[in-house]
Amino acid sequence: MTDYAASRALARPVTPSGLKSWLRGLGITLGALVLLNGCLFVLTPALFRVDLAKGPYTEANNLELTRVYHRAIPLYERVIEAYPDSDYALLARIGIANSNVGLGKRDLALEQYKSLLATLETDAALKDKRYQVLARMAGLYRDNADTEGFSAVFAQLESAYPGTEAVRDGRVYLDRVKAESQTSAPALPANFPFRIDPGAIVVPKTAKVGDVIEITIPLAPAGGKTPDFSLMTSLPLYQGFSVKQISPNPRSVADFWGRRAWQFAGIDKPVEIKAQLLAKKVGTYAFDLDVEMNFDIVELGISHSIQVED
């Protein structure tokens, strides 16, 4: 462009239509900026709260995962109190219930899970969390041998989450319970030398780690003097308990039976055998009772569940 042409272009006057077009573009740009800033002004506080909640929640969750439950719970409670509108508050409630399971406070955890379900049922985005809660509840009811409670939770799982692992496992459990309920206790041999009343056997249902529980087993001869015998208990029982004392004193506690056979001389009158067991590990354990005579084991079909809590 020559100097002459450039000077003419610079000297060209701005027309009213050009000015309006330029002002319109400027107005649109300014409006967009105002709208964007307004959205950020509204959204930033909520995002800021979530960011603040994430730190203590993550710390609490790490403590839960490393089984430091007594320290995780206060941090979870702090998240709920300080950031009630945050998504992490709901996750913290789940974390508290999970931690109480770890602490052996199963009844409290069940109540907390029930409370959570009311919230989880109303939000489709939390479907996976509801599944986790229902699955944990099913496990607690199964461990407590609460078939009625388990069936109610299983119905919800089967309806909302067919084909999941919790539903498959639940069907296996219910089928086993049904089979057991339809099978009576084994018939004892006609010449069985003992009278045993299952209803007279006393087995505590719960204990805390460090407690010593007492199990009472009344026996009586069916006729004359019985043969020498052993009372057999379930081997998994000794994962959660150790024997403190048995009275009357058995002849021995047989090592070849995994120390779960208490050997006694034959009896010619009723006797009450008492076993004191020390609870040493959280969990649910079965006390199954059988009788051994001359290496033949007679299954009595007597079983009691004992829940050990922290």
Side-chain angles (χ1 to χ4, degrees), residues 64-245:
E64 178 197 336
L65 294 175
T66 53
R67 302 184 180 182
V68 191
Y69 305 116
H70 67 285
R71 290 181 55 195
I73 290 176
L75 280 178
Y76 279 137
E77 291 173 341
R78 189 182 307 170
V79 171
I80 295 170
E81 181 180 355
Y83 313 103
D85 297 327
S86 167
D87 291 342
Y88 288 103
L90 179 62
L91 297 178
R93 290 174 60 193
I94 297 174
I96 289 173
N98 294 345
S99 296
N100 278 321
V101 173
L103 290 172
K105 300 177 181 179
R106 293 169 173 258
D107 291 339
L108 176 59
L110 269 174
E111 293 304 315
Q112 291 168 337
Y113 285 136
K114 290 177 185 176
S115 176
L116 279 162
L117 283 181
T119 302
L120 297 172
E121 286 174 353
T122 61
D123 193 335
L126 298 173
K127 188 175 181 180
D128 62 326
K129 301 300 180 187
R130 181 169 179 259
Y131 169 76
Q132 293 174 20
V133 168
L134 286 170
R136 285 181 175 272
M137 290 178 68
L140 290 175
Y141 282 126
R142 183 174 58 244
D143 292 344
N144 291 341
D146 185 344
T147 307
E148 183 177 351
F150 180 89
S151 298
V153 170
F154 178 77
Q156 297 182 61
L157 278 168
E158 190 173 37
S159 173
Y161 309 95
T164 58
E165 182 180 359
V167 171
R168 291 193 297 270
D169 291 346
R171 285 201 188 99
V172 171
Y173 171 71
L174 288 177
D175 288 345
R176 180 168 63 81
V177 169
K178 182 178 180 181
E180 290 176 353
S181 67
Q182 293 174 346
T183 303
S184 59
L188 298 177
N191 60 346
F192 190 61
F194 297 94
R195 290 199 308 271
I196 300 176
D197 178 6
I201 296 175
V202 178
V203 181
K205 293 183 178 180
T206 60
K208 292 186 179 297
V209 172
D211 287 352
V212 175
I213 66 169
E214 185 171 83
I215 296 174
T216 303
I217 308 166
L219 294 176
K225 186 174 182 178
T226 71
D228 294 349
F229 66 97
S230 295
L231 293 182
M232 299 284 294
T233 55
S234 52
L235 188 58
L237 177 71
Y238 297 98
Q239 296 175 3
F241 291 89
S242 58
V243 176
K244 291 287 290 182
Q245 182 179 352

